[in-house]
Amino acid sequence: WEQRPCAVKEMRPSPDILPAKLEGLREQFRREAAVLATLHSPGRPRVLDEFSEGKTEYLGVDFGQGQSLADVLTASGKPGLPEEQALGWARQLLDTLEYIHSRSVIHRDIKPANIRLTLDERVVLVDFGLVKLWDPRNPETMLALRGAGTPQYAPPEQLDNTFGHTDARSDVYSLGATLYVLLTGRVPPLVTDRILKNATVPPLRSIVPSISPAVDEAVLKALQ
């Protein structure tokens, strides 16, 4: 790895897992690594290597220096971050999503903690552990490990497949929830509360009046 800093993801199986299940999970891990290695974008870490040691699989990626946007928000000490700053990051993230979606990859766990701000002020989307390979002809196709993501940022179809199957719009919802948090300092109501308790998403301007109407409308549309 050319003596560069790297991060290593480890797939550590449960000791009581059945051999057939273990082999299936290992194969999924290898497929994920193979797909991620084909993605070349400044908005995500580069895959450096995938290897096995005993019954454990490892994935080496570029180490993301800097801090997460969750840490940036916590350190700001304000209700939310400046609109122009958040929108600048959003533009970069949308470029990254456009790129991975064009290659039929869905991230499925976009949130401030999974976005890193580098030392040169770029944002990088990390932790592709719930990545899904999406085939529009067969939307249930999934090659990576299953998971529901983070409830505060997950759309309904990701928590319960009776609402449909994840596709590119699922990432748009999660990015909308992320922007809501970055701009207001508050998380929107859980999807489960919106469905079961008819909870509504407060307009961003009701929390931070200085947010522009167009941004308020765009974020709420992403959360529909």
Side-chain angles (χ1 to χ4, degrees):
W1 296 341
E2 305 172 11
Q3 303 299 313
R4 70 180 66 203
C6 66
V8 179
K9 289 184 62 176
E10 178 184 45
M11 191 203 81
R12 182 181 300 171
S14 172
D16 58 354
I17 191 170
L18 295 175
K21 179 69 172 178
L22 173 59
E23 187 52 39
L25 291 175
R26 294 181 68 181
E27 180 59 25
Q28 287 181 338
F29 190 94
R30 297 187 198 107
R31 287 177 177 174
E32 176 194 337
V35 170
L36 294 182
T38 68
L39 301 180
H40 303 288
S41 166
R44 58 163 306 277
R46 183 178 52 153
V47 172
L48 302 173
D49 197 7
E50 184 271 327
F51 60 95
S52 303
E53 181 70 29
K55 295 182 179 181
T56 305
E57 299 291 327
Y58 297 92
L59 178 67
V61 299
D62 280 330
F63 178 73
Q65 297 190 26
Q67 56 183 161
S68 73
L69 293 192
D71 292 335
V72 173
L73 180 61
T74 299
S76 73
K78 300 176 181 178
L81 297 171
E83 182 176 310
E84 276 306 308
Q85 185 178 40
L87 290 184
W89 296 336
R91 294 184 186 98
Q92 295 181 53
L93 292 168
L94 285 168
D95 286 343
T96 299
L97 290 182
E98 183 177 26
Y99 173 79
I100 68 172
H101 291 167
S102 72
R103 284 152 179 78
S104 300
V105 172
I106 307 168
H107 186 277
R108 303 200 318 137
D109 198 18
I110 298 171
K111 58 185 178 182
N114 281 345
I115 303 168
R116 299 197 72 82
L117 182 64
T118 66
L119 301 180
D120 57 355
E121 295 295 314
R122 290 184 301 108
V123 287
V124 177
L125 187 58
V126 300
D127 198 348
F128 279 65
L130 297 182
V131 67
K132 176 182 178 182
L133 305 188
W134 179 57
D135 181 352
R137 297 163 298 181
N138 180 16
E140 295 187 44
T141 300
M142 187 183 299
L143 298 183
L145 299 179
R146 291 181 179 270
T150 306
Q152 293 89 337
Y153 301 90
E157 68 273 12
Q158 198 162 310
L159 300 175
D160 186 339
N161 62 16
T162 60
F163 292 102
H165 300 285
T166 50
D167 60 26
R169 293 170 296 180
S170 305
D171 280 347
V172 172
Y173 180 100
S174 298
L175 179 57
T178 295
L179 286 174
Y180 193 100
V181 171
L182 293 178
L183 289 167
T184 68
R186 302 185 190 179
V187 294
L190 294 174
V191 163
T192 49
D193 289 341
R194 293 172 64 185
I195 294 172
L196 300 177
K197 302 178 183 179
N198 293 319
T200 59
V201 181
L204 287 75
R205 286 167 54 82
S206 69
I207 304 170
V208 182
S210 61
I211 293 175
S212 64
V215 170
D216 195 348
E217 180 181 358
V219 173
L220 292 179
K221 184 174 182 179
L223 287 170
Q224 289 177 2

